Amino acid sequence: MTGIGLIIVFVLAIALMIYSISKLKIHPFLSIMAISLIFGLIAGIPLVNTTDADGNTVSGIANVIGAGFSGTFSSIGIVIIFGALVGTLLESTGAALKMADCVVKLVGEKHPEIAIELMGWIVSIPVFCDSGFVVLNPIRKAMTRRTGTSSVAMSVALSMGLYISHCFIPPTPGPIAGAGTLGDNLLLVMGLGALCSIPPLVAGYFFAKYIGKKVKAADDIADNENVKTYEQLVAEFGKLPNAWLAFAPIVVPIILMGLASALSMAGVKADFISFLGTPIIALAVGCIIAIIDLFAAHKGKDFYKLTDDTLKTVGPILFVTAAGGVLGKVIASSDMVNYIKANAEVFESVGIFFPFLLAAILKSAQGSSTVAITTTAGIVAPLLPVLGLDSPARACLTVIAIGAGAMTVSH
């Protein structure tokens, strides 16, 4: 099948995938893989390897699926694992709590909404969004009682801070998977993600202030009677790491990647720095520092269990990301890309709004930002040249646009 018929089949395939995930409750991995196979067969990808009229080898559908799956794992699999492990270690050692304390001291308790929002924004860069809420919610309650601020305002501010960096800034799994699928400039995605997060942070703060005056939580008093103080939270960890060790697992990888990029742009040959600045190695260094934090705090207690739990959590994300890579590879192997190129003027007018809208539809349908980001990235990857988004900077902005779309209609 070719032409407009193939575009229609693609739209129907995406609709069927959304329906199977959201309504039939089929796991995203199975849904995406099944849709990839069905779309590939309808698009005319052969069942087995064959040759075309020019004598060129045309891969069969099984090989296309295998290449899409393995290609995703080889490019970003280890990066996602290391990023998630850093987050788990920061959470378990109390480093996340220490980072939050530093933000409170910087902003001051007279601006509790700003403080809790920035705390969420920082903590959610390495830590999963929901885990970050669990870690910081006791601090939110303590600050609410201490300052007399609206509990609703503080909850909204914390949620906004967590959610913005969760969708915009690697090494959170969604953005890091999107960055790996659409390019190889992880540092630029981090920088643009941090920059682009400023407007929603400002909007989130003012909305939190507004909604806090309009809506009251009936259980505020009951919650605040049993809330733990900051001192009690610290006591649960025994002793928090110092500020340097708390921030180092995040800051050091960013510095290494930034230094490697700067030397590369300057034309300076520094093999060792380039090695350290590779995302896999940079995050491995951050992971080592986080492990040092763990051994300093608990002498390595439960390190095996922490690693095992992290791998169990990351596994589904890796598989969904790889499935998104399969769908992207199937699209690239079909004739759809050639048809879109032949009618590029229609799609160029849509530009960066196409990945944004696609991510928004997927997120609104099934509820997971990570699934929406990884799936959209896999679909959009072969279309970047057609959409005029194939330069490094535009590809990174596409990751941010996908992240923005993945923030809509949170379930």
Side-chain angles (χ1 to χ4, degrees):
M1 181 178 289
T2 59
I4 192 64
L6 190 57
I7 299 292
I8 294 173
V9 169
F10 170 70
V11 173
L12 292 175
I14 297 301
L16 179 60
M17 180 180 70
I18 294 171
Y19 179 79
S20 66
I21 294 172
S22 60
K23 295 296 183 183
L24 302 181
K25 304 302 180 184
I26 299 174
H27 194 279
F29 173 76
L30 295 177
S31 298
I32 298 169
M33 291 294 288
I35 291 300
S36 299
L37 176 60
I38 294 170
F39 178 74
L41 293 174
I42 294 175
I45 297 177
L47 295 177
V48 296
N49 290 355
T50 184
T51 55
D52 59 16
D54 298 324
N56 299 317
T57 300
V58 178
S59 297
I61 185 66
N63 285 26
V64 171
I65 290 175
F69 194 88
S70 61
T72 302
F73 263 96
S74 64
S75 61
I76 58 174
I78 299 175
V79 173
I80 292 177
I81 292 172
F82 279 151
L85 185 56
V86 166
T88 301
L89 292 169
L90 289 179
E91 184 180 341
S92 63
T93 59
L97 188 60
K98 181 64 178 181
M99 289 190 289
D101 182 48
C102 292
V103 174
V104 172
K105 291 179 179 178
L106 178 65
V107 177
E109 292 188 9
K110 291 183 179 181
H111 306 285
E113 296 94 349
I114 295 178
I116 199 72
E117 187 179 40
L118 290 178
M119 286 160 61
W121 183 80
I122 291 174
V123 168
S124 194
I125 293 174
V127 176
F128 282 102
C129 185
D130 49 356
S131 299
F133 193 94
V134 172
V135 170
L136 296 179
N137 193 48
I139 302 175
R140 177 198 65 81
K141 290 183 177 181
M143 290 178 64
T144 299
R145 184 176 66 174
R146 193 181 306 169
T147 61
T149 308
S150 163
S151 176
V152 173
M154 293 291 282
S155 295
V156 171
L158 174 58
S159 300
M160 286 297 295
L162 288 162
Y163 209 34
I164 289 165
S165 57
H166 177 77
C167 292
F168 277 177
I169 307 175
T172 307
I176 207 170
T181 301
L182 298 181
D184 196 28
N185 201 329
L186 189 59
L187 182 66
L188 184 56
V189 174
M190 286 182 174
L192 288 173
L195 182 63
C196 292
S197 67
I198 295 174
L201 282 172
V202 173
Y205 167 73
F206 283 109
F207 178 74
K209 296 283 285 186
Y210 166 79
I211 203 68
K213 296 176 182 178
K214 295 288 184 180
V215 180
K216 301 298 177 184
D219 57 349
D220 274 356
I221 297 176
D223 281 347
N224 288 337
E225 286 176 351
N226 301 316
V227 72
K228 295 178 182 178
T229 64
Y230 174 76
E231 289 74 20
Q232 288 172 322
L233 291 170
V234 172
E236 291 183 356
F237 288 98
K239 181 182 179 182
L240 298 182
N242 61 48
W244 160 246
L245 284 177
F247 281 95
I250 303 173
V251 174
V252 170
I254 293 174
I255 292 175
L256 290 174
M257 286 187 286
L259 185 59
S261 295
L263 292 176
S264 176
M265 288 186 291
V268 178
K269 184 175 176 60
D271 291 343
F272 185 65
I273 298 298
S274 297
F275 165 74
L276 291 177
T278 305
I280 291 177
I281 304 302
L283 281 171
V285 171
C287 195
I288 291 171
I289 297 173
I291 292 171
I292 292 172
D293 284 359
L294 178 70
F295 275 80
H298 307 295
K299 296 183 180 179
K301 183 181 179 181
D302 295 331
F303 177 50
Y304 180 93
K305 185 177 185 302
L306 286 172
T307 305
D308 194 47
D309 290 344
T310 301
L311 292 175
K312 290 177 182 177
T313 302
V314 171
I317 295 172
L318 284 172
F319 293 134
V320 171
T321 302
V326 169
L327 183 55
K329 187 69 173 177
V330 169
I331 293 170
S333 301
S334 72
D335 196 52
M336 192 175 80
V337 175
N338 293 328
Y339 176 77
I340 293 175
K341 286 179 180 178
N343 299 271
E345 66 278 358
V346 176
F347 294 91
E348 285 176 354
S349 61
V350 180
I352 204 166
F353 286 102
F354 175 74
F356 168 81
L357 291 172
L358 184 56
I361 292 170
L362 289 170
K363 170 59 195 298
S364 302
Q366 49 80 39
S368 168
S369 295
T370 302
V371 170
I373 292 172
T374 55
T375 304
T376 304
I379 294 171
V380 168
L383 304 178
L384 286 181
V386 179
L387 296 170
L389 302 172
D390 52 337
S391 70
R394 290 179 179 180
C396 292
L397 283 172
T398 302
V399 177
I400 307 303
I402 293 172
M407 290 183 68
T408 56
V409 194
S410 177
H411 296 201

